[in-house]
Amino acid sequence: MKKDVFYDLLKFIPKAELHVHEEAVIGRETVKKVYERNFGQQMTDEEFNSLFDYKDLGGFLNSFIKIQSYFKNVQDLEIQFNDFEQYLNDNNIVYCETFISPTSHLKKGWQFNEIINTISKCIKRISTNSHRTVRCLIDVSRSFGMENAMTNLNHVIAARNPIILGIGLGGDESKGPAKDYAPVFDKAVEHGFHTVTHAGESVESWSMKDSINLCHAERLGHGIQAAKDEEFMKELAEKQIPLEVCPTSNIFILQEFKGDMKNHPAKKLYDAGCNITINTDDPTFFKCSLIDEYWNIYSELGFTLEDIKKIIKNGFTNSFMAKKMKTQWCNKVDEAWFKWFQAHPEEKE
Ligand SMILES: [Zn+2]
């Protein structure tokens, strides 16, 4: 299928996204705008370009935190959510579980409840205007230590806001092993929250095993390093533990793929029976959209259209939405798929 036709099909099909950092959907122009508004001067080209110039995970995380530092008032989050809404509309994402990283904002003195109430307002607006559902996973973060992660969880427990489904563990797993954060995740589960972790992005199987065994991870963020461990890959397939695969992010950040999508192990994981979903991670930073990512795996990795449809449905079935809703959305995917091909008889499924 040609690229423009593929994009037309994918735009028509409702999708879910499970691994995307809300702060990383901000438009590049919005970054400039927020900076100008809060610092009373334009950002120099040098500073702007340096924000998007990184060669590894550490460099990228620094840029991520730096952009968060430009936000001076909690109301600035509303601008961010304008871009987020646009992104959901452009990609026809009807359901999204997005990571929110509160640490940098809390360090500025913002109150957790203020942040969540503002986000809640934005999410309601997106639901009313665009009929899209957004829920949050709070990234307790492994970049600022265990005490900070526990503080974040305590805020989540105290807030008890229905937009928060659970917690995640973002940041560089090589510098913050999941096992160090086990008490935070034990407590989150005790309080009925869902748990996910970034694991197997850059570190081998032990990191994913710790995430599952010690942090009760219900999904693994990335999980791609499992492709190097046949035995563990088999175990993931047997247990059907969902992997939130983010192809462009991995190609961008990890030297091992030599910048070539063809080296990405998504197809190897899929062929081994692993339960994969496709996500963008940080669309603005990696210049990709969700539809781009589906095109990448279709055009570069040999996934068939049938595979693409299955993976789209995985986005819904692996989400934390109610079981009944999962079935409804999977049926809607089938209906939309059928309808699109009916209107395009020249295209083969
Ligand atoms: Zn991520």
Side-chain angles (χ1 to χ4, degrees):
M1 184 177 274
K2 283 187 178 157
K3 189 174 180 179
D4 57 335
V5 181
F6 182 92
Y7 274 67
D8 188 70
L9 165 65
L10 266 280
K11 180 79 198 271
F12 191 71
I13 308 298
K15 290 173 289 303
E17 182 159 17
L18 306 179
H19 189 125
V20 57
H21 298 262
E22 188 277 326
E23 302 87 347
V25 185
I26 187 170
R28 293 187 178 214
E29 287 309 309
T30 308
V31 173
K32 282 185 183 170
K33 227 184 279 172
V34 169
Y35 182 94
E36 201 176 326
R37 194 164 86 178
N38 290 335
F39 293 89
Q41 61 184 48
Q42 283 192 347
M43 188 187 283
T44 63
D45 285 347
E46 200 184 354
E47 184 164 9
F48 181 73
N49 292 333
S50 74
L51 280 177
F52 301 101
D53 182 24
Y54 29 77
K55 287 168 186 64
D56 53 23
L57 185 57
F60 157 69
L61 290 171
N62 284 342
S63 285
F64 185 91
I65 291 169
K66 199 166 180 192
I67 290 178
Q68 278 196 312
S69 76
Y70 298 158
F71 287 78
K72 297 277 188 203
N73 309 298
V74 78
Q75 287 75 21
D76 288 337
L77 295 177
E78 291 176 19
I79 313 174
Q80 221 171 260
F81 269 90
N82 290 341
D83 292 344
F84 195 75
E85 183 172 3
Q86 186 65 47
Y87 169 78
L88 298 178
N89 287 335
D90 290 346
N91 287 276
N92 196 7
I93 297 165
V94 293
Y95 178 84
C96 184
E97 288 173 9
T98 186
F99 290 113
I100 302 287
S101 302
T103 304
S104 301
H105 297 319
L106 294 171
K107 284 183 187 299
K108 285 182 280 196
W110 296 9
Q111 298 301 306
F112 187 82
N113 274 340
E114 253 185 339
I115 298 172
I116 294 305
N117 290 342
T118 305
I119 292 175
S120 188
K121 208 167 80 184
C122 295
I123 286 177
K124 267 191 201 132
R125 192 194 67 213
I126 292 175
S127 168
T128 309
N129 295 348
S130 300
H131 310 291
R132 300 182 190 277
T133 303
V134 179
R135 293 290 177 265
C136 302
L137 296 165
I138 302 299
D139 172 18
V140 294
S141 184
R142 62 190 1 139
S143 305
F144 302 91
M146 158 71 183
E147 211 177 303
N148 174 73
M150 190 60 97
T151 303
N152 282 337
L153 172 65
N154 289 335
H155 284 311
V156 168
I157 293 169
R160 272 281 160 208
N161 190 308
I163 64 162
I164 303 174
L165 300 178
I167 62 166
L169 188 63
D172 189 346
E173 61 184 314
S174 67
K175 292 185 182 145
K179 65 175 169 41
D180 292 355
Y181 295 86
V184 179
F185 283 78
D186 283 341
K187 191 171 175 184
V189 169
E190 271 169 36
H191 282 80
F193 288 102
H194 289 290
T195 57
V196 296
T197 58
H198 282 57
E201 178 180 16
S202 59
V203 176
E204 53 269 39
S205 315
W206 63 263
S207 172
M208 292 174 272
K209 288 175 188 167
D210 281 358
S211 286
I212 296 163
N213 298 329
L214 305 175
C215 296
H216 321 283
E218 295 169 69
R219 295 194 303 248
L220 297 175
H222 300 283
I224 54 164
Q225 297 296 334
K228 290 180 189 157
D229 181 340
E230 295 287 338
E231 207 178 312
F232 183 60
M233 186 165 64
K234 219 170 121 193
E235 190 184 326
L236 284 180
E238 273 165 15
K239 293 181 177 164
Q240 285 293 288
I241 295 173
L243 306 181
E244 303 156 0
V245 175
C246 310
T248 301
S249 167
N250 301 144
I251 299 296
F252 224 94
I253 293 288
L254 303 170
Q255 310 296 327
E256 64 188 270
F257 301 129
K258 300 185 178 73
D260 190 346
M261 185 60 75
K262 287 198 168 60
N263 295 327
H264 195 280
K267 188 69 163 56
K268 185 174 177 187
L269 292 162
Y270 183 79
D271 287 344
C274 288
N275 180 359
I276 71 164
T277 61
I278 290 295
N279 309 273
T280 55
D281 206 3
D282 305 283
T284 301
F285 291 92
F286 304 132
K287 295 184 195 153
C288 63
S289 71
L290 187 59
I291 297 181
D292 292 336
E293 292 292 42
Y294 279 107
W295 170 251
N296 288 334
I297 65 162
Y298 174 72
S299 62
E300 302 273 359
L301 294 178
F303 282 86
T304 65
L305 287 176
E306 201 53 37
D307 297 331
I308 298 287
K309 184 166 73 165
K310 182 172 187 319
I311 296 169
I312 289 174
K313 287 189 195 173
N314 286 351
F316 291 104
T317 53
N318 293 322
S319 74
F320 297 135
M321 67 168 66
K323 207 172 166 191
K324 198 174 140 197
M325 292 301 293
K326 292 182 184 181
T327 311
Q328 281 180 9
W329 277 117
C330 286
N331 290 340
K332 281 185 184 173
V333 171
D334 281 332
E335 281 163 26
W337 197 270
F338 179 76
K339 208 168 152 188
W340 189 91
F341 277 97
Q342 214 177 26
H344 299 81
E346 68 286 4
E347 295 296 336
K348 283 200 180 71
E349 273 190 69

